[in-house]
């Protein structure tokens, strides 16, 4: 009798354990399925204009083929996209180059990471007065960005075109007017806020205009007298939180950007955009 009671009690206990385990597995599976489903619904931030267009035309279609549901969130400044990424309200963004990203991280105590560089609108030297840089006269005025990063890009471009010579010991990422050792045309530099540079063409002989500001002003990149031979540090990047650097989404973003379909869209829709070294060398 005692044996039968023991067996009965044991069987009840065993059934209870199995039911709990089954319910637990079912709950875990349901939770995993939910997480998997949620991970396929993503938001990508970009500044309004060419880079939100790039996400829409060249990145979103590739991700959708992989089963993602993609929402593009447009921003009108360079602060909120990283704040949103850090807060988790978007899962990736595209609007900034590596130097800006690294400085922003330090200043705002964030841990973000660049996944991959993308084709980027280069700075151009524009003029309403000259048809080529060969026509530039002695004492010509040129407006340049007043922030150090973009000013360095302007000086590097002018050196590449033979209009100035920079001290070879100067850091190319930090070049300033004081590093110019030869200025045979006696160019006069007029620093301006970058957004004002397109309008400065009405008064200055030349203007060094970053690509995103040129496009925002409906300027054609291919109308520039010269386009920047851009360093990769100045090319825009797809960024994610550092914790997500090895996530499936990060791997899929890289795969989409490296795809032939992505490059075909760039060639067709983004004329004049400078391609990163990895794209040139493959």
């Amino acid at each position: 009798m005692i044996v039968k009671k023991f067996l009965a009690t044991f069987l009840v206990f065993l059934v209870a354990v199995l039911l709990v385990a089954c319910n637990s597995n079912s709950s875990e599976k349901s939770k995993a399925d939910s997480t998997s489903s949620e991970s396929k619904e993503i938001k990508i931030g970009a500044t309004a204009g060419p880079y939100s267009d790039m996400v829409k035309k060249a990145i979103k279609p590739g991700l959708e083929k992989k089963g993602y549901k993609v929402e593009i969130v447009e921003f009108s400044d360079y602060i909120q996209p990283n704040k949103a990424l850090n807060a988790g309200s978007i899962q990736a963004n595209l609007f900034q180059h590596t130097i800006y990203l690294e400085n922003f991280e330090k200043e705002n105590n964030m841990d973000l990471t660049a996944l991959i560089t993308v084709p980027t609108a280069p700075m151009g030297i524009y003029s309403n007065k000259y048809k080529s840089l060969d026509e530039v006269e002695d004492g010509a005025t040129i407006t340049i960005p007043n922030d150090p990063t973009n000013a360095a890009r302007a000086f590097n471009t002018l050196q590449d075109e033979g209009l100035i010579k920079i001290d070879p010991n100067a850091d190319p990422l930090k070049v300033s007017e004081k590093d110019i050792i030869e200025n045979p045309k006696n160019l006069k530099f007029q620093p301006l806020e970058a957004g004002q540079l397109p309008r400065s063409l009405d008064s200055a002989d030349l203007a060094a205009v970053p690509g995103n500001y040129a496009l925002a002003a409906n300027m054609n990149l291919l109308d520039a007298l010269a386009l920047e031979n851009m360093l990769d540090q100045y090319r825009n990047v797809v960024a994610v939180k550092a914790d997500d650097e090895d996530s499936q989404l990060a791997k899929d973003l890289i795969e989409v950007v490296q795809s032939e379909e992505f490059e075909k869209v760039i060639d067709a829709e983004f004329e004049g955009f400078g391609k990163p070294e990895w794209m040139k060398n493959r």
Side-chain angles (χ1 to χ4, degrees), residues 5-135:
K5 280 187 176 182
F6 174 78
L7 287 175
T9 303
F10 178 75
L11 286 173
V12 170
F13 173 76
L14 183 60
V15 169
V17 169
L18 289 173
L19 284 172
V20 170
C22 188
N23 286 336
S24 176
N25 288 338
S26 176
S27 175
E28 289 299 321
K29 183 178 186 301
S30 175
K31 185 178 178 181
D33 288 345
S34 174
T35 302
S36 175
S37 174
E38 288 173 2
S39 70
K40 288 290 186 177
E41 295 184 6
I42 63 167
K43 294 180 181 180
I44 301 179
T47 43
Y51 298 105
S52 63
D53 288 344
M54 187 178 292
V55 175
K56 179 181 179 181
K57 297 178 180 180
I59 295 178
K60 181 179 177 181
L63 289 175
E64 288 179 337
K65 286 181 181 178
K66 293 179 177 292
Y68 290 91
K69 182 179 179 182
V70 182
E71 179 183 342
I72 300 170
V73 181
E74 288 194 351
F75 295 91
S76 59
D77 63 53
Y78 288 176
I79 306 297
Q80 297 307 314
N82 279 338
K83 286 190 173 182
L85 181 59
N86 187 63
S89 56
I90 60 175
Q91 285 67 56
N93 68 34
L94 172 56
F95 77 99
Q96 65 195 323
H97 51 58
T98 305
I99 297 173
Y100 180 87
L101 172 62
E102 291 176 349
N103 288 337
F104 194 94
E105 279 187 290
K106 292 176 184 176
E107 292 173 2
N108 294 276
N109 193 29
M110 294 180 181
D111 196 8
L112 310 177
T113 190
L115 283 183
I116 188 168
T117 53
V118 300
T120 304
M123 177 176 286
I125 307 299
Y126 296 86
S127 178
N128 288 342
K129 180 177 182 179
Y130 304 123
K131 298 295 184 184
S132 79
L133 292 180
D134 293 335
E135 298 176 6

